[in-house]
Amino acid sequence: MIPPDEELASLKERCAVLEAENQAYARYIRAKTNQLLEIMETRALQAEELDDRALLDLDPIGIVAQSFQQILGHLNRTIDELREARAGERELREYYLTEKMKLATVIESLSEGLLVLDEQNRILSCNRAADELTQWLTTEMLGQPIGAGFPEMENALRKNAGDAQNLELVHRSRAGEDLLLSVNIARLRDSEGRRLGRVVTFRDSTEERRRTELYHRTEKLAAIGQLSAGVAHELNTPLGSVLGYARLLLKDKTLNATQRAWVEIIAEQVKKSSAIIQGLLRFARQSNPARRCLEECRLNEIIAQTLPLLATETAKRKIELITDLQAVPAIVADPRELEQVVLNLTMNALQAIGNKGRISIRTRHAGARVVLKVEDSGPGIPEPIRSRIFDPFYTTKPVGEGTGLGLSICSGIVGDLGGSIDVSSVEGQGTTFIVSLPVHANGASNVPKNRKIS
């Protein structure tokens, strides 16, 4: 049996060992806890804040480990949410890219030109149609002010600060062609209504305007033609009677010189009135194709037969008449009407020149068309009246020198044959009338005729 004193001493020694081990363990726990706190960027534990026994009872490593476990769980959930968000963002990005490609395809396929401008009217983007219509809106113009190549549009933008619809402006393309453009302007804004710039769309309405004017002119011609036919027939009978009695009076031997002169004046004025009426009747014939005698015609031959009728007039006016008639196929027309077209256009050129000048008549074969050009060195036609020269009864000649029917008759004849007549004129440099007629399917070429008539 161990004595009590020895047993007590052994217990004390054992307690001292355990105390030393507890202190060492507490220091270890405190050090490791402070390391974890440092990693978490938290202030280290101080000795006075937590003694060794309280530290061991608290189990800070367990608490930190549990916190890390919670953090890890939260991080895992966050990662899953981020993955889902990224997948949604990817789908959203793909959706927006798809919609952007759709919009770009629609814009590029538009037949109307489209411009996107900033607040300073600089070009941000344009579509293919805009480039084709203007012939200058290439990528090198992006970022440049629109006035650099499109001054007419810049003027329209200045005059219209807000939205505008169906504005009309004339633009000269790079090729020098004047285009009538129909323009729409709309404000470009962000989601909060702030101004970002403007969107401009435009289309070429030149041909549309030309067709509309042709339609209205055709209606006008038809109405005036019917009226003219009625008036002409009503006037022919009394004028015929006046002329007949005038001729009978001229046979009267009892008339003195003064009376005979008066009767001759009456007869001469009746003849002039009859000529005007014949013009009315020719004009009225345009709306009655049944009265035409269509046959295969040789345009060069008709020109050669018609021009000698004007030889005296050209010589008197000292006007040089030059022809350049190339080989052209036959056309189907009424030869008398073709003669009327050639005569009217040449007479119009003679009257425009007045005295001393040059008239050039040329024919060409252009694909399925035969082209006749009558060019004069006259004063040209002022721009404001060019659109009216084919209107019936419109003339700029002095009273008594023209009826205003010559060009109207030409336009009607050529139009009924499926052709077209256009005019090109520069003031001070002369005028060219261009007649285009369809080729007869079985027509052969004419023999070229090139000669000079003065």
Side-chain angles (χ1 to χ4, degrees), residues 39-162:
I39 292 172
M40 296 173 67
E41 297 183 352
T42 304
R43 185 171 59 84
L45 290 174
Q46 302 299 318
E48 63 273 10
E49 291 178 340
L50 201 64
D51 59 22
D52 291 345
R53 184 166 297 280
L55 182 65
L56 293 176
D57 291 339
L58 186 61
D59 189 15
I61 292 180
I63 293 173
V64 172
Q66 185 178 2
S67 298
F68 270 115
Q69 188 66 31
Q70 293 174 354
I71 292 171
L72 182 60
H74 178 70
L75 287 175
N76 286 333
R77 289 191 299 274
T78 302
I79 290 171
D80 291 339
E81 290 174 359
L82 288 174
R83 286 174 178 170
E84 292 177 1
R86 185 172 297 175
E89 183 181 348
R90 187 182 301 111
E91 291 178 1
L92 189 60
R93 186 185 301 114
E94 291 177 355
Y95 170 77
Y96 280 124
L97 287 175
T98 302
E99 292 302 310
K100 182 179 179 181
M101 288 299 297
K102 286 181 183 178
L103 181 59
T105 303
V106 169
I107 290 175
E108 284 300 312
S109 64
L110 289 175
S111 59
E112 293 188 347
L114 185 143
L115 300 175
V116 179
L117 311 175
D118 63 12
E119 278 295 282
Q120 286 72 45
N121 290 334
R122 292 188 295 255
I123 302 172
L124 300 180
S125 65
C126 70
N127 67 347
R128 176 182 51 81
D131 188 20
E132 292 176 352
L133 285 172
T134 61
Q135 299 177 0
W136 62 264
L137 276 172
T138 55
T139 52
E140 54 198 44
M141 287 299 300
L142 296 181
Q144 299 295 321
I146 193 170
F150 211 160
E152 304 88 356
M153 185 69 77
E154 184 179 39
N155 293 335
L157 291 170
R158 286 176 179 172
K159 293 177 182 178
N160 298 274

Side-chain angles (χ1 to χ4, degrees), residues 269-417:
Q269 294 304 312
V270 169
K271 288 178 183 178
K272 288 184 178 180
S273 299
S274 296
I276 294 173
I277 290 173
Q278 289 304 312
L280 288 172
L281 288 173
R282 282 193 297 269
F283 176 73
R285 281 189 63 196
Q286 297 169 25
S287 58
N288 188 6
R291 299 185 60 182
R292 287 191 173 92
C293 182
L294 299 180
E295 58 185 71
E296 186 178 285
C297 300
R298 308 284 181 172
L299 181 59
N300 287 350
E301 293 178 1
I302 290 173
I303 294 172
Q305 294 168 3
T306 304
L307 294 185
L309 302 175
L310 301 171
T312 302
E313 189 70 19
T314 54
K316 182 175 68 175
R317 294 172 181 261
K318 297 181 181 179
I319 293 176
E320 185 182 28
L321 183 57
I322 301 173
T323 62
D324 177 12
L325 311 181
Q326 294 191 2
V328 294
I331 58 178
V332 174
D334 186 330
R336 292 169 300 178
E337 290 186 341
L338 281 185
E339 181 180 334
Q340 186 70 44
V341 170
V342 174
L343 194 61
N344 284 0
L345 291 178
T346 309
M347 280 299 300
N348 189 75
L350 283 169
Q351 293 171 352
I353 293 173
N355 294 295
K356 293 184 180 180
R358 185 182 66 259
I359 298 175
S360 174
I361 299 177
R362 301 191 300 273
T363 56
R364 296 288 185 273
H365 180 204
R369 317 287 287 185
V370 171
V371 178
L372 164 66
K373 292 186 178 181
V374 179
E375 181 180 359
D376 66 62
S377 59
I381 304 173
E383 177 67 30
I385 68 172
R386 283 180 204 168
S387 61
R388 300 188 59 193
I389 60 174
F390 294 108
D391 288 350
F393 304 108
Y394 181 79
T395 180
T396 58
K397 301 181 181 71
V399 176
E401 292 189 15
T403 62
L405 289 172
L407 292 178
S408 296
I409 292 172
C410 292
S411 177
I413 292 172
V414 172
D416 286 342
L417 293 175

